[in-house]
PDB file of all heavy atoms in Angstrom:
ATOM      1  N   ILE A  14     132.311  41.141  31.796  1.00 93.00           N
ATOM      2  CA  ILE A  14     132.052  39.769  31.377  1.00 93.00           C
ATOM      3  C   ILE A  14     132.181  38.875  32.602  1.00 93.00           C
ATOM      4  O   ILE A  14     132.868  39.230  33.576  1.00 93.00           O
ATOM      5  CB  ILE A  14     133.042  39.319  30.277  1.00 93.00           C
ATOM      6  CG1 ILE A  14     134.494  39.492  30.739  1.00 93.00           C
ATOM      7  CG2 ILE A  14     132.774  40.092  28.987  1.00 93.00           C
ATOM      8  CD1 ILE A  14     135.534  38.997  29.750  1.00 93.00           C
ATOM      9  N   PRO A  15     131.521  37.712  32.607  1.00 94.00           N
ATOM     10  CA  PRO A  15     131.503  36.862  33.802  1.00 94.00           C
ATOM     11  C   PRO A  15     132.868  36.533  34.402  1.00 94.00           C
ATOM     12  O   PRO A  15     133.009  36.582  35.634  1.00 94.00           O
ATOM     13  CB  PRO A  15     130.763  35.606  33.325  1.00 94.00           C
ATOM     14  CG  PRO A  15     129.825  36.118  32.279  1.00 94.00           C
ATOM     15  CD  PRO A  15     130.597  37.183  31.563  1.00 94.00           C
ATOM     16  N   PRO A  16     133.918  36.197  33.595  1.00 92.00           N
ATOM     17  CA  PRO A  16     135.195  35.878  34.215  1.00 92.00           C
ATOM     18  C   PRO A  16     135.829  37.047  34.969  1.00 92.00           C
ATOM     19  O   PRO A  16     136.762  36.862  35.741  1.00 92.00           O
ATOM     20  CB  PRO A  16     136.077  35.458  33.025  1.00 92.00           C
ATOM     21  CG  PRO A  16     135.106  35.025  31.974  1.00 92.00           C
ATOM     22  CD  PRO A  16     133.942  35.953  32.136  1.00 92.00           C
ATOM     23  N   VAL A  17     135.322  38.261  34.728  1.00 96.00           N
ATOM     24  CA  VAL A  17     135.797  39.454  35.440  1.00 96.00           C
ATOM     25  C   VAL A  17     134.883  39.776  36.615  1.00 96.00           C
ATOM     26  O   VAL A  17     135.337  39.949  37.756  1.00 96.00           O
ATOM     27  CB  VAL A  17     135.880  40.666  34.482  1.00 96.00           C
ATOM     28  CG1 VAL A  17     136.146  41.954  35.267  1.00 96.00           C
ATOM     29  CG2 VAL A  17     136.966  40.447  33.447  1.00 96.00           C
ATOM     30  N   THR A  18     133.594  39.850  36.363  1.00 98.00           N
ATOM     31  CA  THR A  18     132.665  40.279  37.416  1.00 98.00           C
ATOM     32  C   THR A  18     132.556  39.267  38.550  1.00 98.00           C
ATOM     33  O   THR A  18     132.180  39.633  39.662  1.00 98.00           O
ATOM     34  CB  THR A  18     131.268  40.564  36.839  1.00 98.00           C
ATOM     35  OG1 THR A  18     130.743  39.377  36.228  1.00 98.00           O
ATOM     36  CG2 THR A  18     131.335  41.675  35.802  1.00 98.00           C
ATOM     37  N   ILE A  19     132.907  38.008  38.300  1.00 98.00           N
ATOM     38  CA  ILE A  19     132.882  37.017  39.378  1.00 98.00           C
ATOM     39  C   ILE A  19     133.869  37.403  40.479  1.00 98.00           C
ATOM     40  O   ILE A  19     133.584  37.228  41.670  1.00 98.00           O
ATOM     41  CB  ILE A  19     133.179  35.603  38.834  1.00 98.00           C
ATOM     42  CG1 ILE A  19     133.031  34.556  39.938  1.00 98.00           C
ATOM     43  CG2 ILE A  19     134.564  35.518  38.208  1.00 98.00           C
ATOM     44  CD1 ILE A  19     133.162  33.125  39.444  1.00 98.00           C
ATOM     45  N   PHE A  20     135.022  37.965  40.106  1.00 98.00           N
ATOM     46  CA  PHE A  20     135.982  38.460  41.098  1.00 98.00           C
ATOM     47  C   PHE A  20     135.366  39.609  41.900  1.00 98.00           C
ATOM     48  O   PHE A  20     135.495  39.680  43.117  1.00 98.00           O
ATOM     49  CB  PHE A  20     137.238  39.002  40.407  1.00 98.00           C
ATOM     50  CG  PHE A  20     138.224  37.974  39.937  1.00 98.00           C
ATOM     51  CD1 PHE A  20     138.173  37.477  38.652  1.00 98.00           C
ATOM     52  CD2 PHE A  20     139.245  37.539  40.764  1.00 98.00           C
ATOM     53  CE1 PHE A  20     139.115  36.563  38.196  1.00 98.00           C
ATOM     54  CE2 PHE A  20     140.197  36.625  40.319  1.00 98.00           C
ATOM     55  CZ  PHE A  20     140.127  36.131  39.033  1.00 98.00           C
ATOM     56  N   MET A  21     134.741  40.524  41.179  1.00 98.00           N
ATOM     57  CA  MET A  21     134.210  41.736  41.796  1.00 98.00           C
ATOM     58  C   MET A  21     133.047  41.420  42.724  1.00 98.00           C
ATOM     59  O   MET A  21     132.910  42.017  43.806  1.00 98.00           O
ATOM     60  CB  MET A  21     133.824  42.725  40.691  1.00 98.00           C
ATOM     61  CG  MET A  21     135.026  43.094  39.812  1.00 98.00           C
ATOM     62  SD  MET A  21     134.598  43.902  38.248  1.00 98.00           S
ATOM     63  CE  MET A  21     134.340  45.592  38.796  1.00 98.00           C
ATOM     64  N   ASP A  22     132.220  40.442  42.333  1.00 98.00           N
ATOM     65  CA  ASP A  22     131.121  40.006  43.208  1.00 98.00           C
ATOM     66  C   ASP A  22     131.655  39.437  44.516  1.00 98.00           C
ATOM     67  O   ASP A  22     131.180  39.787  45.604  1.00 98.00           O
ATOM     68  CB  ASP A  22     130.279  38.931  42.502  1.00 98.00           C
ATOM     69  CG  ASP A  22     129.314  39.487  41.468  1.00 98.00           C
ATOM     70  OD1 ASP A  22     129.111  40.718  41.439  1.00 98.00           O
ATOM     71  OD2 ASP A  22     128.769  38.687  40.692  1.00 98.00           O
ATOM     72  N   GLY A  23     132.631  38.541  44.404  1.00 98.00           N
ATOM     73  CA  GLY A  23     133.176  37.923  45.597  1.00 98.00           C
ATOM     74  C   GLY A  23     133.834  38.934  46.509  1.00 98.00           C
ATOM     75  O   GLY A  23     133.687  38.892  47.739  1.00 98.00           O
ATOM     76  N   TYR A  24     134.567  39.863  45.913  1.00 98.00           N
ATOM     77  CA  TYR A  24     135.251  40.923  46.670  1.00 98.00           C
ATOM     78  C   TYR A  24     134.242  41.768  47.450  1.00 98.00           C
ATOM     79  O   TYR A  24     134.414  42.010  48.653  1.00 98.00           O
ATOM     80  CB  TYR A  24     136.021  41.779  45.671  1.00 98.00           C
ATOM     81  CG  TYR A  24     136.889  42.873  46.236  1.00 98.00           C
ATOM     82  CD1 TYR A  24     138.105  42.589  46.841  1.00 98.00           C
ATOM     83  CD2 TYR A  24     136.520  44.218  46.098  1.00 98.00           C
ATOM     84  CE1 TYR A  24     138.937  43.608  47.308  1.00 98.00           C
ATOM     85  CE2 TYR A  24     137.335  45.241  46.553  1.00 98.00           C
ATOM     86  CZ  TYR A  24     138.551  44.936  47.157  1.00 98.00           C
ATOM     87  OH  TYR A  24     139.368  45.941  47.611  1.00 98.00           O
ATOM     88  N   ALA A  25     133.181  42.197  46.765  1.00 98.00           N
ATOM     89  CA  ALA A  25     132.162  43.020  47.413  1.00 98.00           C
ATOM     90  C   ALA A  25     131.480  42.256  48.552  1.00 98.00           C
ATOM     91  O   ALA A  25     131.208  42.815  49.627  1.00 98.00           O
ATOM     92  CB  ALA A  25     131.127  43.473  46.385  1.00 98.00           C
ATOM     93  N   ASP A  26     131.208  40.971  48.337  1.00 98.00           N
ATOM     94  CA  ASP A  26     130.553  40.185  49.379  1.00 98.00           C
ATOM     95  C   ASP A  26     131.477  39.937  50.567  1.00 98.00           C
ATOM     96  O   ASP A  26     131.016  39.850  51.714  1.00 98.00           O
ATOM     97  CB  ASP A  26     130.075  38.846  48.808  1.00 98.00           C
ATOM     98  CG  ASP A  26     128.779  38.986  48.026  1.00 98.00           C
ATOM     99  OD1 ASP A  26     128.156  40.059  48.092  1.00 98.00           O
ATOM    100  OD2 ASP A  26     128.390  38.012  47.346  1.00 98.00           O
ATOM    101  N   GLY A  27     132.779  39.820  50.316  1.00 98.00           N
ATOM    102  CA  GLY A  27     133.726  39.663  51.415  1.00 98.00           C
ATOM    103  C   GLY A  27     133.762  40.892  52.297  1.00 98.00           C
ATOM    104  O   GLY A  27     133.843  40.790  53.530  1.00 98.00           O
ATOM    105  N   VAL A  28     133.692  42.063  51.670  1.00 98.00           N
ATOM    106  CA  VAL A  28     133.639  43.316  52.433  1.00 98.00           C
ATOM    107  C   VAL A  28     132.344  43.373  53.241  1.00 98.00           C
ATOM    108  O   VAL A  28     132.353  43.734  54.432  1.00 98.00           O
ATOM    109  CB  VAL A  28     133.740  44.535  51.490  1.00 98.00           C
ATOM    110  CG1 VAL A  28     133.511  45.836  52.270  1.00 98.00           C
ATOM    111  CG2 VAL A  28     135.094  44.570  50.800  1.00 98.00           C
ATOM    112  N   ALA A  29     131.242  42.995  52.602  1.00 98.00           N
ATOM    113  CA  ALA A  29     129.953  43.013  53.298  1.00 98.00           C
ATOM    114  C   ALA A  29     129.951  42.049  54.483  1.00 98.00           C
ATOM    115  O   ALA A  29     129.386  42.350  55.547  1.00 98.00           O
ATOM    116  CB  ALA A  29     128.826  42.650  52.320  1.00 98.00           C
ATOM    117  N   TYR A  30     130.586  40.901  54.318  1.00 98.00           N
ATOM    118  CA  TYR A  30     130.663  39.908  55.397  1.00 98.00           C
ATOM    119  C   TYR A  30     131.470  40.471  56.568  1.00 98.00           C
ATOM    120  O   TYR A  30     131.104  40.296  57.733  1.00 98.00           O
ATOM    121  CB  TYR A  30     131.305  38.628  54.871  1.00 98.00           C
ATOM    122  CG  TYR A  30     131.190  37.432  55.790  1.00 98.00           C
ATOM    123  CD1 TYR A  30     130.081  36.585  55.722  1.00 98.00           C
ATOM    124  CD2 TYR A  30     132.181  37.147  56.732  1.00 98.00           C
ATOM    125  CE1 TYR A  30     129.971  35.484  56.555  1.00 98.00           C
ATOM    126  CE2 TYR A  30     132.080  36.053  57.577  1.00 98.00           C
ATOM    127  CZ  TYR A  30     130.978  35.221  57.475  1.00 98.00           C
ATOM    128  OH  TYR A  30     130.865  34.134  58.321  1.00 98.00           O
ATOM    129  N   TYR A  31     132.554  41.161  56.246  1.00 98.00           N
ATOM    130  CA  TYR A  31     133.371  41.790  57.287  1.00 98.00           C
ATOM    131  C   TYR A  31     132.542  42.832  58.037  1.00 98.00           C
ATOM    132  O   TYR A  31     132.573  42.897  59.282  1.00 98.00           O
ATOM    133  CB  TYR A  31     134.594  42.455  56.660  1.00 98.00           C
ATOM    134  CG  TYR A  31     135.472  43.182  57.654  1.00 98.00           C
ATOM    135  CD1 TYR A  31     136.505  42.523  58.313  1.00 98.00           C
ATOM    136  CD2 TYR A  31     135.269  44.540  57.940  1.00 98.00           C
ATOM    137  CE1 TYR A  31     137.308  43.181  59.239  1.00 98.00           C
ATOM    138  CE2 TYR A  31     136.064  45.207  58.865  1.00 98.00           C
ATOM    139  CZ  TYR A  31     137.082  44.523  59.511  1.00 98.00           C
ATOM    140  OH  TYR A  31     137.858  45.187  60.428  1.00 98.00           O
ATOM    141  N   ASN A  32     131.805  43.659  57.298  1.00 98.00           N
ATOM    142  CA  ASN A  32     130.996  44.700  57.932  1.00 98.00           C
ATOM    143  C   ASN A  32     129.977  44.103  58.893  1.00 98.00           C
ATOM    144  O   ASN A  32     129.771  44.605  60.009  1.00 98.00           O
ATOM    145  CB  ASN A  32     130.269  45.525  56.864  1.00 98.00           C
ATOM    146  CG  ASN A  32     131.206  46.462  56.126  1.00 98.00           C
ATOM    147  OD1 ASN A  32     132.273  46.817  56.629  1.00 98.00           O
ATOM    148  ND2 ASN A  32     130.816  46.864  54.924  1.00 98.00           N
ATOM    149  N   GLU A  33     129.349  43.010  58.454  1.00 98.00           N
ATOM    150  CA  GLU A  33     128.333  42.371  59.297  1.00 98.00           C
ATOM    151  C   GLU A  33     128.964  41.761  60.548  1.00 98.00           C
ATOM    152  O   GLU A  33     128.428  41.876  61.648  1.00 98.00           O
ATOM    153  CB  GLU A  33     127.610  41.290  58.500  1.00 98.00           C
ATOM    154  CG  GLU A  33     126.465  40.625  59.268  1.00 98.00           C
ATOM    155  CD  GLU A  33     125.689  39.625  58.427  1.00 98.00           C
ATOM    156  OE1 GLU A  33     125.946  39.535  57.218  1.00 98.00           O
ATOM    157  OE2 GLU A  33     124.813  38.931  58.993  1.00 98.00           O
ATOM    158  N   ALA A  34     130.123  41.134  60.367  1.00 98.00           N
ATOM    159  CA  ALA A  34     130.781  40.475  61.497  1.00 98.00           C
ATOM    160  C   ALA A  34     131.340  41.472  62.501  1.00 98.00           C
ATOM    161  O   ALA A  34     131.355  41.209  63.715  1.00 98.00           O
ATOM    162  CB  ALA A  34     131.904  39.572  60.987  1.00 98.00           C
ATOM    163  N   LYS A  35     131.784  42.627  62.007  1.00 98.00           N
ATOM    164  CA  LYS A  35     132.478  43.592  62.863  1.00 98.00           C
ATOM    165  C   LYS A  35     131.652  44.829  63.202  1.00 98.00           C
ATOM    166  O   LYS A  35     132.112  45.691  63.971  1.00 98.00           O
ATOM    167  CB  LYS A  35     133.773  44.056  62.170  1.00 98.00           C
ATOM    168  CG  LYS A  35     134.736  42.926  61.833  1.00 98.00           C
ATOM    169  CD  LYS A  35     135.322  42.321  63.089  1.00 98.00           C
ATOM    170  CE  LYS A  35     136.378  41.288  62.766  1.00 98.00           C
ATOM    171  NZ  LYS A  35     137.003  40.716  63.973  1.00 98.00           N
ATOM    172  N   GLY A  36     130.468  44.933  62.636  1.00 98.00           N
ATOM    173  CA  GLY A  36     129.665  46.122  62.882  1.00 98.00           C
ATOM    174  C   GLY A  36     130.281  47.362  62.247  1.00 98.00           C
ATOM    175  O   GLY A  36     130.160  48.469  62.769  1.00 98.00           O
ATOM    176  N   LYS A  37     130.936  47.184  61.108  1.00 98.00           N
ATOM    177  CA  LYS A  37     131.601  48.288  60.412  1.00 98.00           C
ATOM    178  C   LYS A  37     130.806  48.697  59.172  1.00 98.00           C
ATOM    179  O   LYS A  37     129.786  48.081  58.826  1.00 98.00           O
ATOM    180  CB  LYS A  37     133.024  47.884  60.003  1.00 98.00           C
ATOM    181  CG  LYS A  37     133.910  47.465  61.162  1.00 98.00           C
ATOM    182  CD  LYS A  37     134.266  48.639  62.053  1.00 98.00           C
ATOM    183  CE  LYS A  37     135.253  48.222  63.136  1.00 98.00           C
ATOM    184  NZ  LYS A  37     135.642  49.360  64.002  1.00 98.00           N
ATOM    185  N   ASP A  38     131.306  49.719  58.467  1.00 98.00           N
ATOM    186  CA  ASP A  38     130.641  50.191  57.253  1.00 98.00           C
ATOM    187  C   ASP A  38     131.678  50.533  56.182  1.00 98.00           C
ATOM    188  O   ASP A  38     131.697  51.636  55.648  1.00 98.00           O
ATOM    189  CB  ASP A  38     129.777  51.417  57.569  1.00 98.00           C
ATOM    190  CG  ASP A  38     128.916  51.840  56.389  1.00 98.00           C
ATOM    191  OD1 ASP A  38     128.603  50.964  55.553  1.00 98.00           O
ATOM    192  OD2 ASP A  38     128.580  53.038  56.281  1.00 98.00           O
ATOM    193  N   VAL A  39     132.551  49.573  55.893  1.00 98.00           N
ATOM    194  CA  VAL A  39     133.542  49.779  54.842  1.00 98.00           C
ATOM    195  C   VAL A  39     132.809  49.790  53.497  1.00 98.00           C
ATOM    196  O   VAL A  39     132.003  48.896  53.205  1.00 98.00           O
ATOM    197  CB  VAL A  39     134.610  48.671  54.855  1.00 98.00           C
ATOM    198  CG1 VAL A  39     135.616  48.880  53.724  1.00 98.00           C
ATOM    199  CG2 VAL A  39     135.321  48.626  56.198  1.00 98.00           C
TER     200      VAL A  39
END
């Protein structure tokens, strides 16, 4: 449900942002 998946979306995008900034593949 949205109040749950909104956390999961943000979490996944934060990891993706880290990967892009650091050249990693977490």
Side-chain angles (χ1 to χ4, degrees):
I14 56 177
V17 170
T18 60
I19 185 174
F20 281 93
M21 301 165 81
D22 282 348
Y24 185 75
D26 281 349
V28 173
Y30 192 88
Y31 178 89
N32 286 338
E33 184 176 353
K35 302 292 185 178
K37 302 290 185 179
D38 188 26
V39 178

